[in-house]
Amino acid sequence: MMAEPLAPIATLQSFAIEITVNGAVWKGNVPAEEVLLDFLRYRVKLTGTKRSCESEVCGACTVLVDGKPISSCSYLAFEADGKSVMTIEGLASGAELDPLQEAFIRNMGAQCGFCTSGQIMAAKALLLDNPAPTYEQISEWLNGNICRCGCYPAIAQSILEAAAEYKNRR
Amino acid sequence: MLQPFRVLTPANIEQASAELVRLGERATIYAGGAELILLLRYGMVHAEYLINIKSISGLSEIGWDGQTVQIGATVTHRRLETDPLIRERLPLLADAESQIANIRVRSQGTLGGNLCFNDPHSDPGTALLLHEAEVVLASKDGLRQIPLSDFLSGMYSTALEPGELLQKTFVAPLPVGWGAAYLRVHRYQRPTLNVAVAAKFQNGAVEDARLAVGCVGPKPQRLSELESKIRGEKLDGARRIFADSKPYLKDSLEPVDDLLGSAEYKIYMAAVLLSRALSQASRSNGRG
Amino acid sequence: MATPADTRNRISPTAEPRFDLRDKVTGQTRYVEDLPEPAGTAWASMLLSPYSHARLVSIDSSKAEKLPGVVAILDREHLDGLSPMLHTPRYEYMVKTLSGLLPDDQPLVVLDKVRFHGELVAAVAADDLRTAQKAVELIEVNYEPMDPVFDAAAARSASTPILHESKGTNLLLEDKLEWGNVERGFGEAARIFEETYTSPSMFHHPMENVGGCIAQFLNDEAIIWGTTDAPFRDSDEMADFFRIDRERMRFRVPYVGGHFGAKNVTNYMLAALFLSRKSGRPVKTLPTTEASFRTTARHGMIYTAKAGVQSDGTLTALDVEMIIDTGAYTTGAVLATHNMVISAWGCYRIPNVRIKARCAYTNKVPASHTRATGKFQTTWAVECLIDSVARKMGIDPTEFRKKNVLRRGEPVAEGAPPMDADYLEMMDKAAAAINWDGHSSMEPQSRSDSSSPSPPAKGRALVLTLRNGNQGGGRAYTMATVDVRGNVKIHHNAPDPGQGIYNLISIIAAKTLELPRSQIIVGEPDTAVSLPFSGVNAQRTTIQLGNAVKNACENLKQELVNVACEIKGGNPSEWRVADGRLWRAEQSFSFGDIAASIKTLGDNSVLKAMGSYSPPSGRSAFGGLDHWATSAAAVELEVDRETGEIKVLQYSVVSDAGKVLHFNSAKGQLEGGAVMGFGHALFEETVYQDGQLLNADPFQYRLPTMQDIPEHFHTIMLENEDGPGPFGSKGMSQTSITAVAPAVGNAIYDALGVRIRSVPITPEKILKALGKI
C-alpha cells in the first residue's frame, strides 16, 4: 500500500514488458522514464534494493540483470524486458540461505544493513564471473560498493568463505 | 525522478539520423545510459526523445580485419575489458577500460557513449589517442571517418554534426615491437590525470614513442614535441626531459586548479607518470 | 580479519550472530523508505538555497500553490502563525560552565537571510513526487547574495561579514579548562614548542540519507516515522517546536541505515510535520544525498598548542588555543567545543594545562554531533603534537609516550575518574600486532630527493587515544515484561543504526534472566511508551541503556517473586530465581507459570518492571563521566616518494572494552570506526570556495572503499571486566576512529621526515612538504 510516487498521468510513453524477477514473470506496463529501482520497489514491492546516492557511485541499488551487476537507480526498467533480474530477495532458496548470506551472518558483514543488499549482489556477480577471487580481486570488484559502517574486512572475509563453500558444493 | 520522455527505436542508422535531424535539440542518442540517465536526473540535459540505438545491427560488434580492430559504438566497457580479441590486440585499451569507474558502470556504459560525452576526466580517450584511433560518423547521408583527435574537439564537445551519430571506432594495434603502459592518478570517481605511453626501444634507448596525457586539459592530448625530444634517450635521460618539460606541459595541457588537485600538482604528476609509463613500456617485452 | 591473537581475546558470553542479520542479508529489514504509508500520503519536496550568504528579498509561491495536485506550502509567507525559530536543543545546556543562554538562532525556513548553502527556503507537499518537484521549481525567489565567510579564524576581524546581525559578532561562545599554572610550567621547561594542526568540516554520510520520514499530524497529535539516535529527545524537541504536549508527539523509529550523529531533528522532518498539519494528509519526504549533505557536518578546528618539556622528556605544561567552526547556527556548538576542551591534552600527565576554545559562526552547513564529536579533531592534533615534540627532543615517540602517559589509578583531571586502563599493555599489543616493537628510527628512512626512482618509503607509528567513556545523558529507562508463555519483552527507546543495539539488549536480558535468547523479544523504539533515554550516541548505550535493561530484568525477577508470594504463598526470602525459573523448596515454576497465575487478565496476563540508570552526576567539566574509553593503534604504511601516494600495509587497534558482550559487534565498531577514520585521515573534507559548498555530492566527497583498507587489519579488545557497564563493560565504539589520522600523519613523518599538519593527508600535501611542488 505504497503511495505512488510516480505520476502516470504525465508520462509520455509506456512500454508493455515482461521481466523475470527472481524467477517469477512480471507482465505489465512501465513508463519509459521509470528506473529499475523504482520498478522493483514500487511495482514489484521488493524493497530490499535500496536508494542512496542515485548516481551509480555507492552501489546500494545493485541488482543483477542477466547476471551482470547494474545500478538499478540509473537503468531504465523497460530495458529489462525479456531479461532476468535478480534482487537480494531472490538469492535464498526458500528458507535455505545462499552461502554468501550465511557467511555475511557468520562474519557480521553488515551493521546498519543499508548497503548490504548491494554488497551481496555485487559479490554474487563476482562469484559468477570468477569463482575463486583473491582478496585483491574482491576489493577491486567491490570498490564501487560503499559501506560507511566500515564492514569491509568482514565483507571480504565473507566472500572468501562463500567462494570456498560454493566450491565444496560443486 | 526523471522527467517523462519518449523512446524511439530506429531499425538502422539512417532512421536514427533522420530522427536526430527532425527533432534537433529535443532528442538525444541513448545507448547504455550510464552517463545520460545521470545528466537527465540532474537536469543538465533535457530530452523529450531518447533515440535508442542498441538494436541497430553492427553497432555492438567487435571485429578484426587483419589490420585494425573495429569497435561498435554500443560495445560496453566491460566487454572491452574482457574480450579476448581486445586483450590480445589492444591490451592497453583493455587495461584502461578495466579501470573505468566501477563494475556496474562498466557493465552498462558504452565506449560510444563515453567518447560522445567527452568528459575531460575520462579513461578510454587517452588510450585510444595513443593508438591514433579513428571514428566513423554516420548519418542518413552517408559515412565519414575522422581521427579521434579531431573528433574530441573540446570539453564535453565533439565534432558530431547535426544528424550524425558515432557508428564505430577503428583502432590499429601498436606497431610490432612497441611496448605500452597506461597509468593514472585516481582519487575520485573520475581520474585526475591519466597517461598512455607507447614506445619502441633499441639498445635501451627510445627509437620512437607516442605520448598522450588526459584529464588535465579539456581533452586528451598527444605530446608530439616531447615525443621528438625523447628519441634517442635512455630512460634516465627521458625522465630528466619529462621533469624539465613543465612549461611545455602547462602550455599543451592548460591545467586548472580544481577539487581534484592544483595545476602544479597535475603537471608535476604528468611528468612523473610519463616517466613511469615509459619505464613500464620498456619492460612490456615489445607487446604493445 | 580474525587472527589467532584476536580470537584468544574472544571471551564474550555469546558468539551467536546478531539476530538482525538474517533480515539484513535477505532484504527484509525495513527502513523509512520501506514502510508502507497510510492511505492518502502526500509527497514533499524541498527548496534549498543555492547561496551561502544572501538576503532573501522576496519569495512568491503562488504559482506553486496553484499547480494541480499541490496540497500545502511552507515558506516564510506561509507559516500560519507558527513561531519559526528552532530552540537550541536542551541537551546542549549540559555544560554548566556556560554563562548566558544560547541564542535560538535557526529558523525552520529562511526568514530574512540565508546563512548556508542548502538552507531550507520552502517545502511543498503534493499528491505525487513529480508534482511536488515541479511545484518547487515554480517558486520564485529573489536573493541578494552577500559575501560569505568560511574562515572561523576571521571571526574577530572587523571586516568579516556578520551572520547574525543582532549578535554583532560571529563569535558564538568560549569555553575553557585550566589547572596548575602554565606560566610556571613553561618556566620549568627546558624547551618549549609551538605547533598548529587543523581539521576541516566533514560529513557523516550515512548510506541512508538524513531526514527521511513519514509524518502525520492530525487533531493536535502527531506521529512521525523517521530516523534518529534518540527518539525521546527528538520527540520532545518536535513537540516543543509545535507547542503541543510531549505525549502528543509520537516518534516511531524503524531500523536506521547508519547514523554517526547525523540524524537528529532535521528541518525536513519539521517541514513534513507542518505540511501534514496544514493539509490533513500524511506527508512523506525522502531527501536526496545532496540534500542530506546539507543537514549537518563535523566541526572544523584550528588547534594551536605550546608544549613545555624537561630535558628528560617529561611534559611540564600545555597551553592550547582552539578555534572551532560551527557553521551557520548554534546546533552542536556547545557540545563540540566542550568535548574539544576536555580532550585537548590527550592521555598524558601534564601538571599545568590551560585550554581555551572559541567557537565561531561561518556560512557553512551547521555542524553538530559526529562520531567522536570534537575528539577526532583534538586527537589528531595532540597525538601529532606529542610525536613531533618527542622527535624534536631526540626521544623515541613510543618511549616519550610511555614516560608521560597516565597510568591506571592516576588522577586525570578534577571531577574526572582516575585513569582506569593500561596504556603500556595496549601499546605493546598494538605494535606487536603489526610485527613491530614500537621503536622508530630517529632518522626518517630517507629525505632523499634524488631524481632517480626509489622504492617507497616505509613508516610506522603508534598512537594513543582517550575519550570519556560515557557522556552525560540524564536517566535511562527501560521496561521488561513477561507474558503467560514466558516470553520476555524489553521495551525501550533506543534505535539501532547499526551498532547492534537490539542484539545487545537481548544478550543482557538473556544473561540477567538466565533465559535462552529465543525467549527474549526486543521492542522497537516508540515514544508512546514513555521511556526516556538520551540516545545511542556518545558511547553511552552499553553503560546506560545496558544497565537500565539489566536493572529492569532484576526488577522483573523481583516482581515475579512478589507475585509468586501473593499467589503461591511464602515470603520473598523463601523464593529464589535461577536458571530462568522460580524456586521454593522442592517446587519450581517457569516465568510463564507465574504470569499466568494472575487470573484477572487471563491469557493476556503480563507482569512488568521498570529499570533505570543514571551516570554519576558531577559539577565539573566532565559531567557524568564515570570511566574512560581508551585505545592504542599502530600503523605501517609506505609512501611513494615521487607521487606522495600512501599505501597502508598493516593497521592494528587495541581497545580496552572492559567486557565484550558481543564479539562481532564490538569488533565491528572498532573496524568500522577505523575505516571511517581512514576516510577522515586521507580523503574527507567538505570544500567551500567561491561562495559555494562545492563537493557535497557522491562524486566529489571521497569516502573510503574496500580498496583503501589493508588486508592486514587487526582489532584486539582487552577485557578486565572493570567497567561500569553490565558485566564490567565499557563504552568503546569511538575509540578507533580517532586514532587513524595521527597514526598516519606520524608514520609519514617516520617515512619521509615531513609533517603534515592538516587532514585530509593528501598526496599533494606530501609533495608540497617534500618540496616537489
Side-chain angles (χ1 to χ4, degrees):
Chain A
M1 213 181 61
M2 299 252 193
E4 184 64 69
L6 314 164
I9 301 152
T11 291
L12 296 174
Q13 180 182 14
S14 285
F15 286 90
I17 60 171
E18 213 175 284
I19 302 182
T20 307
V21 181
N22 298 332
V25 175
W26 188 96
K27 257 166 131 155
N29 295 320
V30 293
E33 69 276 5
E34 183 161 310
V35 294
L36 189 61
L37 176 65
D38 287 331
F39 168 79
L40 291 167
R41 291 182 56 84
Y42 288 95
R43 286 193 202 276
V44 191
K45 312 285 190 226
L46 294 173
T47 60
T49 309
K50 301 306 181 198
R51 181 194 318 273
S52 182
C53 78
E54 295 186 283
S55 305
E56 303 173 52
V57 169
C58 75
C61 70
T62 309
V63 298
L64 302 194
V65 176
D66 284 348
K68 292 195 284 241
I70 292 289
S71 304
S72 62
C73 68
S74 302
Y75 181 91
L76 297 176
F78 79 81
E79 294 281 15
D81 180 30
K83 298 194 174 126
S84 177
V85 174
M86 192 195 301
T87 72
I88 187 72
E89 292 94 337
L91 206 55
S93 303
E96 199 187 306
L97 296 181
D98 184 281
L100 272 169
Q101 292 166 311
E102 284 175 347
F104 265 69
I105 290 174
R106 205 164 48 237
N107 293 294
M108 210 178 88
Q111 290 183 34
C112 84
F114 204 74
C115 78
T116 306
S117 308
Q119 301 282 355
I120 294 179
M121 296 318 289
K124 182 70 177 172
L126 170 62
L127 296 181
L128 287 171
D129 183 81
N130 175 1
T134 60
Y135 179 92
E136 207 172 308
Q137 287 169 331
I138 291 172
S139 64
E140 216 177 285
W141 187 278
L142 269 99
N143 69 4
N145 283 79
I146 312 281
C147 173
R148 189 51 154 168
C149 295
C151 298
Y152 298 130
I155 293 171
Q157 179 66 14
S158 301
I159 296 171
L160 287 168
E161 288 178 13
E165 182 59 26
Y166 281 150
K167 186 166 174 223
N168 285 344
R169 294 186 185 188
R170 276 199 290 276
Chain B
M1 298 196 64
L2 300 179
Q3 294 306 310
F5 49 73
R6 287 179 218 278
V7 180
L8 303 172
T9 314
N12 53 48
I13 296 257
E14 291 70 29
Q15 277 186 26
S17 171
E19 296 286 26
L20 271 176
V21 170
R22 176 174 75 92
L23 296 165
E25 297 269 292
R26 296 156 70 200
T28 186
I29 297 289
Y30 160 63
E35 205 64 73
L36 180 63
I37 302 294
L38 298 189
L39 296 171
L40 291 172
R41 175 173 284 125
Y42 290 116
M44 300 207 255
V45 164
H46 298 277
E48 236 180 277
Y49 293 87
L50 266 52
I51 301 177
N52 185 359
I53 58 170
K54 289 196 289 299
S55 324
I56 296 179
S57 74
L59 290 191
S60 58
E61 329 260 270
I62 296 177
W64 165 249
D65 64 8
Q67 292 200 303
T68 56
V69 178
Q70 294 148 52
I71 305 173
T74 65
V75 173
T76 63
H77 298 300
R78 182 68 182 152
R79 233 180 116 199
L80 290 171
E81 180 187 348
T82 56
D83 187 276
L85 194 154
I86 303 288
R87 288 166 74 102
E88 193 204 327
R89 305 246 173 234
L90 306 173
L92 184 76
L93 180 64
D95 187 21
E97 287 283 331
S98 75
Q99 298 183 51
I100 293 173
N102 58 55
I103 188 66
R104 301 180 305 279
V105 170
R106 297 201 293 281
S107 299
Q108 187 178 338
T110 65
L111 182 63
N114 177 285
L115 294 177
C116 291
F117 184 51
N118 202 14
D119 180 341
H121 292 280
S122 183
D123 291 278
T126 312
L128 289 170
L129 216 59
L130 202 74
H131 281 277
E132 298 174 350
E134 303 208 330
V135 289
V136 176
L137 308 175
S139 74
K140 59 183 175 45
D141 304 321
L143 307 173
R144 66 183 178 112
Q145 184 166 332
I146 61 173
L148 181 68
S149 47
D150 290 343
F151 178 72
L152 302 176
S153 52
M155 200 158 66
Y156 303 108
S157 68
T158 68
L160 280 172
E161 297 288 335
E164 273 186 330
L165 44 143
L166 174 63
Q167 186 197 47
K168 62 175 91 165
T169 306
F170 283 116
V171 192
L174 292 169
V176 172
W178 284 54
Y182 174 81
L183 294 175
R184 63 182 196 160
V185 173
H186 166 239
R187 185 174 167 84
Y188 296 92
Q189 284 299 313
R190 297 181 152 97
T192 303
L193 166 75
N194 61 10
V195 312
V197 163
K200 176 131 199 257
F201 289 85
Q202 180 90 304
N203 301 324
V206 175
E207 194 182 285
D208 199 0
R210 297 183 195 174
L211 310 171
V213 174
C215 307
V216 180
K219 51 185 191 146
Q221 302 272 11
R222 280 282 294 277
L223 302 173
S224 31
E225 245 187 67
L226 223 45
E227 288 167 6
S228 316
K229 271 210 172 118
I230 63 170
R231 275 198 204 103
E233 294 284 343
K234 296 208 154 120
L235 286 177
D236 268 350
R239 183 179 233 284
R240 267 193 299 275
I241 289 171
F242 289 137
D244 290 340
S245 68
K246 305 225 169 82
Y248 166 72
L249 288 172
K250 270 200 188 106
D251 256 347
S252 313
L253 302 173
E254 299 171 85
V256 291
D257 293 336
D258 63 19
L259 281 174
L260 273 62
S262 67
E264 285 303 311
Y265 170 69
K266 293 173 189 171
I267 295 300
Y268 168 84
M269 284 303 296
V272 170
L273 291 189
L274 282 167
S275 179
R276 288 190 176 189
L278 187 67
S279 179
Q280 209 172 298
S282 75
R283 291 193 306 272
S284 67
N285 290 327
R287 200 180 152 269
Chain C
M1 292 194 288
T3 65
D6 300 347
T7 50
R8 265 204 299 278
N9 279 308
R10 203 179 85 179
I11 32 174
S12 65
T14 175
E16 281 173 43
R18 268 174 35 179
F19 66 73
D20 55 314
L21 292 176
R22 195 189 171 92
D23 279 353
K24 283 174 178 171
V25 303
T26 53
Q28 301 304 306
T29 304
R30 295 213 296 211
Y31 307 83
V32 169
E33 194 187 345
D34 309 321
L35 299 174
E37 312 110 5
T41 295
W43 283 80
S45 186
M46 311 283 163
L47 175 63
L48 307 182
S49 159
Y51 293 102
S52 291
H53 200 194
R55 217 158 279 296
L56 182 59
V57 175
S58 69
I59 177 166
D60 180 1
S61 304
S62 51
K63 294 202 176 89
E65 273 186 287
K66 293 195 196 92
L67 188 69
V70 167
V71 301
I73 302 260
L74 163 68
D75 63 30
R76 74 174 185 195
E77 315 293 339
H78 293 85
L79 289 172
D80 300 345
L82 176 78
S83 176
M85 300 309 288
L86 273 53
H87 297 153
T88 299
R90 291 206 190 91
Y91 56 81
E92 286 285 301
Y93 284 91
M94 57 181 271
V95 177
K96 298 184 170 54
T97 53
L98 216 55
S99 57
L101 288 174
L102 292 166
D104 286 344
D105 58 9
Q106 184 171 14
L108 172 62
V109 288
V110 173
L111 300 176
D112 58 336
K113 58 188 265 201
V114 169
R115 294 185 180 85
F116 68 92
H117 187 175
E119 192 169 358
L120 184 64
V121 175
V124 178
D127 289 332
D128 62 83
L129 183 56
R130 193 174 279 141
T131 304
Q133 286 173 341
K134 177 144 185 137
V136 162
E137 283 167 29
L138 294 176
I139 299 177
E140 289 168 357
V141 193
N142 278 325
Y143 301 98
E144 192 183 277
M146 299 159 68
D147 285 335
V149 48
F150 295 136
D151 179 8
R156 283 206 161 152
S157 158
S159 58
T160 301
I162 303 280
L163 268 82
H164 300 268
E165 277 99 352
S166 60
K167 281 204 69 127
T169 171
N170 285 339
L171 190 60
L172 170 56
L173 56 88
E174 298 189 352
D175 197 353
K176 65 175 195 239
L177 184 65
E178 182 162 10
W179 66 77
N181 180 326
V182 290
E183 265 73 37
R184 188 188 63 222
F186 286 126
E188 291 164 8
R191 292 181 67 184
I192 296 172
F193 302 96
E194 186 161 336
E195 311 208 352
T196 298
Y197 294 91
T198 65
S199 179
S201 51
M202 298 179 182
F203 177 56
H204 322 46
H205 206 295
M207 296 315 292
E208 179 198 27
N209 294 330
V210 180
C213 69
I214 304 172
Q216 185 166 4
F217 204 149
L218 209 57
N219 303 326
D220 274 339
E221 283 188 331
I223 173 167
I224 179 163
W225 290 269
T227 57
T228 173
D229 62 357
F232 193 83
R233 173 197 72 197
D234 289 353
S235 68
D236 204 24
E237 220 181 293
M238 292 189 281
D240 186 43
F241 180 74
F242 286 102
R243 298 192 176 15
I244 61 175
D245 273 348
R246 156 192 287 179
E247 282 79 35
R248 299 180 82 95
M249 175 69 69
R250 184 178 178 191
F251 203 162
R252 304 263 350 240
V253 188
Y255 275 91
V256 177
H259 190 292
F260 319 111
K263 291 172 178 168
N264 308 314
V265 176
T266 316
N267 290 29
Y268 307 149
M269 286 158 58
L270 293 171
L273 281 163
F274 175 91
L275 293 168
S276 177
R277 184 167 72 168
K278 191 149 171 192
S279 64
R281 306 253 299 261
V283 171
K284 179 166 178 170
T285 188
L286 290 175
T288 60
T289 301
E290 287 80 10
S292 186
F293 263 98
R294 289 158 168 84
T295 56
T296 182
R298 185 190 278 286
H299 290 75
M301 171 204 75
I302 305 169
Y303 174 111
T304 302
K306 226 165 86 168
V309 195
Q310 286 174 358
S311 49
D312 68 350
T314 307
L315 287 160
T316 65
L318 181 70
D319 190 359
V320 178
E321 287 203 8
M322 291 182 284
I323 298 172
I324 293 152
D325 180 347
T326 198
Y329 296 107
T330 307
T331 47
V334 177
L335 180 70
T337 306
H338 194 66
N339 275 9
M340 291 198 227
V341 163
I342 63 173
S343 63
W345 76 91
C347 52
Y348 303 99
R349 181 187 315 110
I350 311 176
N352 305 288
V353 166
R354 179 170 62 199
I355 301 165
K356 293 208 310 233
R358 295 197 314 269
C359 183
Y361 290 122
T362 60
N363 289 109
K364 295 184 186 172
V365 174
S368 189
H369 307 169
T370 321
R371 194 172 194 171
T373 307
K375 313 282 179 154
F376 167 80
Q377 296 94 313
T378 51
T379 308
W380 154 246
V382 75
E383 281 299 300
C384 287
L385 174 73
I386 291 295
D387 200 84
S388 177
V389 166
R391 285 189 179 268
K392 285 179 181 168
M393 293 294 293
I395 301 173
D396 175 87
T398 294
E399 289 307 314
F400 189 92
R401 284 183 172 83
K402 283 187 174 168
K403 187 181 195 56
N404 288 289
V405 77
L406 291 157
R407 313 278 174 114
R408 187 183 278 275
E410 271 195 81
V412 178
E414 194 183 316
M419 179 46 58
D420 56 6
D422 304 302
Y423 275 110
L424 299 188
E425 185 189 353
M426 288 193 277
M427 289 167 80
D428 286 340
K429 288 197 149 76
I434 64 165
N435 306 306
W436 183 32
D437 66 2
H439 292 114
S440 310
S441 150
M442 293 311 288
E443 277 306 309
Q445 290 236 350
S446 168
R447 292 172 199 266
S448 156
D449 54 359
S450 82
S451 55
S452 61
S454 39
K458 273 206 166 119
R460 288 180 294 203
L462 177 68
V463 296
L464 305 176
T465 80
L466 176 65
R467 196 223 179 274
N468 39 300
N470 165 30
Q471 188 145 23
R475 200 159 174 77
Y477 286 88
T478 64
M479 180 165 69
T481 63
V482 62
D483 66 17
V484 302
R485 286 171 294 282
N487 289 326
V488 171
K489 181 165 177 179
I490 308 295
H491 304 252
H492 64 93
N493 273 317
D496 198 343
Q499 299 99 304
I501 308 292
Y502 301 160
N503 194 64
L504 176 76
I505 292 171
S506 158
I507 289 174
I508 293 170
K511 198 165 149 86
T512 309
L513 295 166
E514 294 175 86
L515 287 174
R517 305 254 323 262
S518 54
Q519 265 182 267
I520 310 287
I521 301 165
V522 179
E524 287 189 354
D526 180 349
T527 59
V529 184
S530 178
L531 292 167
F533 174 53
S534 30
V536 296
N537 50 56
Q539 290 188 133
R540 75 164 67 86
T541 308
T542 302
I543 313 304
Q544 293 186 23
L545 186 78
N547 276 328
V549 170
K550 185 154 182 281
N551 292 341
C553 293
E554 296 290 357
N555 292 339
L556 184 67
K557 288 198 271 194
Q558 191 56 53
E559 175 71 355
L560 283 159
V561 165
N562 292 342
V563 170
C565 289
E566 272 182 39
I567 307 294
K568 307 280 186 196
N571 58 59
S573 63
E574 297 171 55
W575 288 89
R576 63 187 180 87
V577 184
D579 299 327
R581 295 180 73 82
L582 277 87
W583 304 79
R584 176 178 176 233
E586 266 72 59
Q587 289 186 302
S588 83
F589 302 90
S590 71
F591 292 177
D593 291 337
I594 302 299
S597 68
I598 303 270
K599 293 273 190 269
T600 46
L601 295 173
D603 270 359
N604 288 332
S605 276
V606 160
L607 299 185
K608 304 165 81 145
M610 298 272 280
S612 58
Y613 178 84
S614 343
S617 69
R619 298 212 176 282
S620 78
F622 297 88
L625 168 57
D626 59 1
H627 71 287
W628 296 102
T630 56
S631 73
V635 71
E636 185 192 11
L637 51 78
E638 59 183 32
V639 193
D640 185 316
R641 294 166 216 267
E642 265 193 307
T643 65
E645 280 169 16
I646 297 168
K647 184 167 175 207
V648 179
L649 301 172
Q650 297 192 76
Y651 187 80
S652 70
V653 57
V654 180
S655 177
D656 183 341
K659 178 76 179 167
V660 174
L661 298 177
H662 186 251
F663 179 76
N664 274 347
S665 293
K667 184 160 173 283
Q669 282 300 295
L670 286 186
E671 283 178 355
V675 171
M676 197 176 211
F678 276 107
H680 286 5
L682 299 174
F683 307 119
E684 296 180 48
E685 61 174 311
T686 44
V687 177
Y688 290 83
Q689 243 172 65
D690 305 326
Q692 300 272 296
L693 169 51
L694 287 186
N695 68 335
D697 64 64
F699 289 104
Q700 300 184 97
Y701 190 83
R702 174 69 156 91
L703 291 168
T705 71
M706 196 188 278
Q707 273 190 308
D708 301 314
I709 305 305
E711 192 174 351
H712 296 283
F713 199 107
H714 311 276
T715 49
I716 297 165
M717 293 170 284
L718 300 186
E719 296 181 84
N720 295 310
E721 297 183 19
D722 57 349
F727 318 113
S729 54
K730 293 180 173 176
M732 44 82 79
S733 58
Q734 292 178 12
T735 52
S736 66
I737 184 175
T738 52
V740 185
V744 170
N746 294 339
I748 287 169
Y749 187 87
D750 189 46
L752 295 173
V754 296
R755 192 158 290 282
I756 309 299
R757 298 176 190 277
S758 67
V759 282
I761 299 167
T762 64
E764 189 166 342
K765 285 180 187 173
I766 291 175
L767 291 173
K768 280 207 176 96
L770 288 171
K772 305 219 164 174
I773 53 171

